[in-house]
Amino acid sequence: MKFALVLVPMYMCLVWLFFQQTVGVDPTVGFTSLPLDQSNFKIQRPYNVPVDKRYSFVDGVHKMWVYKTDKPHSPHSHTNPRTEIRIQGYDFSSGVWQFEGHGYVPKVTSGASIMQIFGGSPHATTLMLWTYDGTLAYYRNPVLVRNIYSRWFRLNVIYDVDANKVQVYIDGDLKLETTGRGGISHFFKFGVYAQDDDSHYMESRWKNIKVLNKNYNV
């Protein structure tokens, strides 16, 4: 009987550990989800094509695609082709902010940034997540996930500006913790933005987009 009483707590502890490892953590605990609608989504796409030739929104899914031969998003820009959503209305320079979204990257996509925190100094960004040949990385390295292709994944990116700390969670697992990269104003972007060695066609899909904050007064 005493042996059984010892085994039961041990078994429950193992079950709890397995559950934690399986489902990961919820990075949104302690955060407030802020109001967000289509007016907060500014679509940046090659300047010489209509929006519907590079973006669609069907059944709650934002689909964005671009070709390596496309023009930049502005006639005055010298940057690479992109189709991205820039979240407007929630630019920030202090506090603790979080982006959450469920993403999907088809196998045809390589050499593209799919999400970024814009704003840095002397760099233009604080964070970019690049996909190359099925991997997802913080810029080019380190690799955070070995196989991101053709599956929905949950992405949470947290930037504590005052503590100068950036965290990236994928499917509830902490994959990266690093320092910020300066700058005085920041905002979130997601979609596809061509980088070096990009594929001819690049695409990503997104749903359940949220912007969250700690102690923010709407």
Side-chain angles (χ1 to χ4, degrees):
M1 185 65 179
K2 290 182 178 179
F3 182 68
L5 291 174
V6 172
L7 282 179
V8 170
M10 289 178 61
Y11 173 76
M12 295 303 295
C13 183
L14 289 172
V15 169
W16 182 85
L17 287 172
F18 175 78
F19 178 78
Q20 292 298 312
Q21 292 173 357
T22 302
V23 302
V25 300
D26 183 359
T28 66
V29 172
F31 284 79
T32 300
S33 182
L34 304 177
L36 201 65
D37 58 35
Q38 286 294 116
S39 68
N40 297 108
F41 298 148
K42 180 180 180 180
I43 302 166
Q44 298 179 335
R45 87 288 180 185
Y47 70 82
N48 61 334
V49 297
V51 171
D52 63 2
K53 297 299 182 183
R54 295 293 184 272
Y55 167 82
S56 69
F57 183 60
V58 179
D59 295 330
V61 176
H62 303 271
K63 178 181 175 182
M64 288 161 276
W65 64 98
V66 74
Y67 298 89
K68 70 180 301 176
T69 54
D70 276 339
K71 301 290 187 183
H73 67 293
S74 164
H76 308 293
S77 173
H78 299 287
T79 59
N80 292 339
R82 74 182 75 196
T83 303
E84 291 183 299
I85 288 178
R86 182 255 207 254
I87 296 181
Q88 55 188 9
Y90 293 117
D91 293 17
F92 57 93
S93 57
S94 62
V96 188
W97 291 80
Q98 180 172 175
F99 168 91
E100 179 179 76
H102 288 77
Y104 183 99
V105 181
K107 287 184 178 180
V108 292
T109 301
S110 186
S113 170
I114 63 168
M115 188 272 167
Q116 59 174 298
I117 301 175
F118 189 84
S121 179
H123 312 282
T125 60
T126 286
L127 171 136
M128 297 181 83
L129 297 179
W130 294 0
T131 179
Y132 278 96
D133 300 322
T135 65
L136 188 66
Y138 170 69
Y139 297 94
R140 200 69 186 248
N141 281 294
V143 171
L144 309 183
V145 177
R146 291 290 173 186
N147 186 8
I148 205 71
Y149 277 161
S150 302
R151 66 177 181 88
W152 286 101
F153 58 92
R154 179 189 180 195
L155 175 66
N156 295 81
V157 176
I158 300 172
Y159 187 15
D160 185 336
V161 181
D162 302 321
N164 195 35
K165 182 171 72 174
V166 178
Q167 295 175 306
V168 177
Y169 290 82
I170 298 176
D171 295 325
D173 293 329
L174 180 62
K175 297 295 186 179
L176 176 74
E177 185 168 295
T178 188
T179 56
R181 287 163 38 111
I184 58 174
S185 183
H186 309 277
F187 52 82
F188 298 122
K189 302 180 75 175
F190 60 99
V192 276
Y193 176 22
Q195 303 300 314
D196 297 335
D197 304 317
D198 49 328
S199 53
H200 175 69
Y201 174 85
M202 291 154 278
E203 175 191 322
S204 73
R205 307 169 198 171
W206 294 87
K207 62 183 180 180
N208 304 326
I209 303 300
K210 294 180 182 179
V211 172
L212 306 99
N213 183 268
K214 288 185 176 180
N215 304 319
Y216 180 81
N217 295 318
V218 180

